[in-house]
């Protein structure tokens, strides 16, 4: 980490808002005017709307992420977490991935921590659930699902087959509906290569506590999406929730019980819990309370936006808040970046106002729903045309020209080449085979030998 006498603009979080705000600040800033420092535990930004396609193998996982150091060459990028903020001293405590924590002074602060999965104290969820907030989870889900097909194809035990081929998804919003649509599509394709597994052998279950799915696209398109998934063999249970999933035994509130090795949790998000240690004013659900200028209320040197902020929606009216989606995050980041520069130079702050442009969702190859807003007119699309809108919108919104081209290349190749259906589950424990080869234990007893503590630690990491 370099030191400087220039003012420091500290950006906490390298997600959508953090990346775009930092780029905007660097673009608008005069040479040598300030130092921009971005702190995030990951060295890359993840474009989350593409996670379902990455899980289905339609996009290479590396093309869904944007390396921060490459995109922000003029900024300091620190890989770690900001654990606390001392507003009186204007100092942040940074905990790097390795080593001791240290203090980092700042003059201006941007809070862009984003959100984490919203979970509940459901027995078995922490041990068996799979989230969909990061690229690691998307890769893990893809490998896991294909591994279940491998297991089912290689055994004659009906109980093992049934549990392996049952896939439960909790949450019917964008993340849940898109993920189950993409994964079901992938599993249907993959079944062609397994002589003992057919699509009819698989059971896909979608659960949501609300009375509808895809509420973002409106009731009619949401109903179409529901019926579309049901026609593909997906069981949808609304107005219900999951009571427990201990050892993969899923018990729903409506009385249904199924055994499953795959439990995907997409039941919403909540602001990053670390915000509670920053001493900032928070709303009733834990979001940072901001003014329309994206300034944190009660401060003139702290800004917040995106999923961790409670931003007034001026386009809707008093009492409304901007929903946590990429559409708002992108536009808020630009306004935030401009306001940081204005605040640093003593100029007035601009207010954020953006009218909703609609929503798009993909439900697998050539399947989707879309609601496009033009003024007071709403255009509703479904099927293949909506799927084109989905890909077109997110392809344009994907950060950097480099990533746009790579994603477009993946889609183009997918038109001519069959989808890859190979599981690389071994990458989750890459040292396991080497450990067995290097272990002094004889090959006969290697399968039952207990790994040394050092090996267990290596696998856990």
């Amino acid at each position: 980490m370099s030191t400087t006498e220039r003012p420091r603009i500290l950006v906490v979080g390298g997600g959508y808002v953090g990346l775009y705000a930092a780029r905007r600040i660097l673009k608008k800033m005069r040479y040598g005017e300030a130092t921009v420092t971005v702190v995030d535990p990951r060295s890359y930004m993840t474009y989350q709307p593409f996670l379902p396609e990455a899980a289905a193998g339609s996009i290479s996982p590396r093309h869904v992420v944007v390396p921060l150091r490459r995109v922000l060459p003029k900024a300091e990028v620190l890989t770690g977490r900001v654990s606390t903020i001392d507003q009186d001293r204007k100092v942040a405590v940074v905990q790097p991935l390795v080593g001791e924590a240290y203090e980092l002074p700042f003059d201006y602060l941007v809070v862009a921590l984003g959100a984490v999965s919203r979970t509940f104290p459901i027995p078995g969820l922490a041990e068996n659930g799979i989230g969909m907030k990061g690229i690691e989870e998307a890769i893990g889900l893809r490998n896991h699902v294909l591994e279940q097909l491998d297991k089912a194809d290689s055994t004659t035990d009906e109980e093992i087959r049934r549990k392996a081929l049952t896939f439960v998804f909790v949450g019917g919003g964008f993340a849940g509906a898109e993920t189950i649509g993409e994964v079901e599509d992938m599993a249907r394709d993959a079944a062609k290569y397994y002589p003992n597994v057919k699509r009819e052998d698989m059971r896909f279950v979608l659960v949501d506590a609300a009375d509808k799915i895809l509420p973002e696209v409106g009731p009619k398109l949401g109903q179409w999406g529901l019926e579309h998934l049901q026609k593909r063999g997906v069981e949808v249970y609304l107005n219900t929730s999951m009571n427990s999933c201990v050892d993969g035994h899923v018990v729903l509130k409506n009385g249904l019980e199924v055994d499953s090795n795959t439990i995907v949790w997409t039941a919403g998000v909540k602001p990053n819990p670390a915000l509670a240690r920053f001493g900032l004013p928070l709303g009733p659900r834990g979001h940072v309370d901001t003014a329309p200028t994206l300034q944190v209320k009660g401060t003139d040197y702290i800004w917040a936006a995106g999923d961790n902020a409670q931003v007034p929606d001026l386009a809707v009216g008093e009492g409304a808040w901007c929903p946590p989606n990429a559409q708002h995050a992108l536009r808020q980041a630009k306004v935030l970046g401009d306001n940081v520069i204005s605040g640093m130079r003593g100029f007035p702050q601009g207010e954020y106002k953006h009218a909703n442009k609609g929503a798009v969702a993909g439900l697998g190859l050539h399947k989707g729903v879309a609601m496009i807003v033009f003024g007071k007119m709403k255009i509703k699309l479904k099927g293949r045309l909506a799927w084109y809108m989905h890909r077109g919108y997110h392809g344009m919104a994907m950060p950097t020209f480099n990533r746009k081209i790579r994603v477009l290349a993946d889609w183009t190749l997918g038109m001519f080449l069959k989808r890859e259906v190979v599981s690389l589950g071994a990458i989750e424990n890459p040292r396991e085979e080497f450990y067995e080869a290097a272990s002094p234990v004889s090959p006969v007893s290697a399968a039952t030998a207990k790994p040394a503590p050092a090996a267990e630690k290596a696998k856990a990491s």
Side-chain angles (χ1 to χ4, degrees), residues 83-417:
S83 56
T84 58
I85 298 289
D86 187 332
Q87 295 186 48
D88 294 331
R89 297 170 54 216
K90 288 190 176 182
V91 168
V93 176
V94 177
Q95 177 62 62
L97 295 185
V98 292
E100 296 183 357
Y102 56 87
E103 291 188 341
L104 185 70
F106 64 86
D107 298 275
Y108 306 95
L109 179 65
V110 174
V111 182
L113 282 175
V116 299
S117 295
R118 181 185 61 188
T119 59
F120 303 98
I122 299 174
L125 178 60
E127 296 80 7
N128 300 289
I130 302 173
M132 273 295 286
K133 283 290 293 176
I135 190 61
E136 303 86 355
E137 292 170 318
I139 298 171
L141 175 60
R142 170 180 168 75
N143 289 328
H144 175 81
V145 169
L146 293 175
E147 191 176 69
Q148 300 313 302
L149 301 188
D150 289 337
K151 290 180 180 179
D153 188 65
S154 306
T155 183
T156 56
D157 189 314
E158 282 303 316
E159 184 177 345
I160 293 177
R161 279 175 53 85
R162 187 165 50 250
K163 191 171 183 178
L165 296 178
T166 300
F167 308 96
V168 178
F169 292 72
V170 182
F174 268 173
E178 288 189 309
T179 302
I180 196 172
E182 294 284 357
V183 170
E184 191 277 336
D185 222 18
M186 178 191 70
R188 184 186 296 271
D189 282 349
K192 301 173 185 176
Y193 304 98
Y194 292 87
N196 300 318
V197 175
K198 298 180 176 61
R199 171 60 182 91
E200 293 74 20
D201 300 329
M202 305 178 204
R203 186 178 186 184
F204 283 85
V205 178
L206 178 62
V207 181
D208 197 282
D211 60 354
K212 56 183 175 293
I213 68 170
L214 293 170
E216 299 90 343
V217 296
K220 290 186 178 180
L221 287 179
Q223 181 63 28
W224 184 90
L226 168 63
E227 294 172 357
H228 170 78
L229 291 175
Q230 289 175 329
K231 288 178 182 177
R232 289 164 57 181
V234 177
E235 301 174 34
V236 182
Y237 298 98
L238 302 178
N239 296 307
T240 192
S241 56
M242 186 170 68
N243 288 342
S244 68
C245 58
V246 177
D247 296 327
H249 182 69
V250 178
V251 180
L252 301 184
K253 190 176 181 180
N254 63 1
L256 179 69
E257 297 186 25
V258 297
D259 289 317
S260 173
N261 289 336
T262 309
I263 302 166
V264 183
W265 182 267
T266 60
V269 297
K270 63 181 180 180
N272 195 308
L275 294 172
R277 301 192 297 270
F278 286 8
L280 303 174
L282 303 180
R285 293 184 296 170
H287 299 79
V288 180
D289 196 8
T290 74
T293 59
L294 304 176
Q295 283 181 307
V296 175
K297 289 189 175 179
T299 73
D300 59 0
Y301 63 95
I302 306 177
W303 293 261
D307 292 357
N308 70 181
Q310 181 176 274
V311 180
D313 194 341
L314 300 182
V316 175
E318 188 174 352
W321 312 102
C322 295
N325 56 38
Q327 183 180 156
H328 280 288
L330 170 61
R331 292 166 174 82
Q332 287 175 3
K334 293 180 179 179
V335 174
L336 187 153
D338 290 343
N339 282 348
V340 170
I341 295 295
S342 297
M344 187 167 55
R345 297 173 182 171
F347 297 152
Q349 300 279 294
E351 293 187 340
Y352 173 75
K353 183 177 181 180
H354 169 68
N356 179 36
K357 299 298 182 184
V360 292
L363 300 173
L365 286 175
H366 310 138
K367 299 171 279 283
V369 292
M371 180 186 67
I372 312 301
V373 179
F374 288 103
K376 296 183 179 181
M377 181 175 62
K378 295 182 180 180
I379 300 176
K380 299 177 181 180
L381 305 172
K382 53 193 177 185
R384 184 181 288 263
L385 186 56
W387 177 76
Y388 284 136
M389 292 295 298
H390 162 75
R391 283 200 162 182
Y393 173 79
H394 287 299
M396 293 284 290
M398 182 71 191
T400 79
F401 182 74
N402 179 295
R403 271 357 190 215
K404 293 182 198 294
I405 293 299
R406 291 179 184 273
V407 168
L408 180 60
D410 286 339
W411 288 339
T412 303
L413 288 174
M415 295 170 59
F416 303 101
L417 303 176

Side-chain angles (χ1 to χ4, degrees), residues 25-93:
I25 292 169
L26 290 167
K27 180 181 178 181
K28 298 282 186 176
M29 195 171 62
R30 303 187 190 101
Y31 177 77
E33 188 174 5
T35 297
V36 177
T37 302
V38 180
V39 181
D40 194 277
R42 294 180 175 86
S43 61
Y44 53 84
M45 168 265 188
T46 302
Y47 189 69
Q48 293 182 352
F50 279 155
L51 290 181
E53 288 203 50
S58 297
I59 301 176
S60 171
R62 284 186 175 85
H63 301 166
V64 177
V65 299
V66 180
L68 296 177
R69 287 183 172 85
R70 179 173 180 175
V71 178
L72 303 172
K74 296 181 180 179
E76 290 181 344
V77 178
L78 307 179
T79 306
R81 300 178 185 275
V82 172
S83 56
T84 58
I85 298 289
D86 187 332
Q87 295 186 48
D88 294 331
R89 297 170 54 216
K90 288 190 176 182
V91 168
V93 176

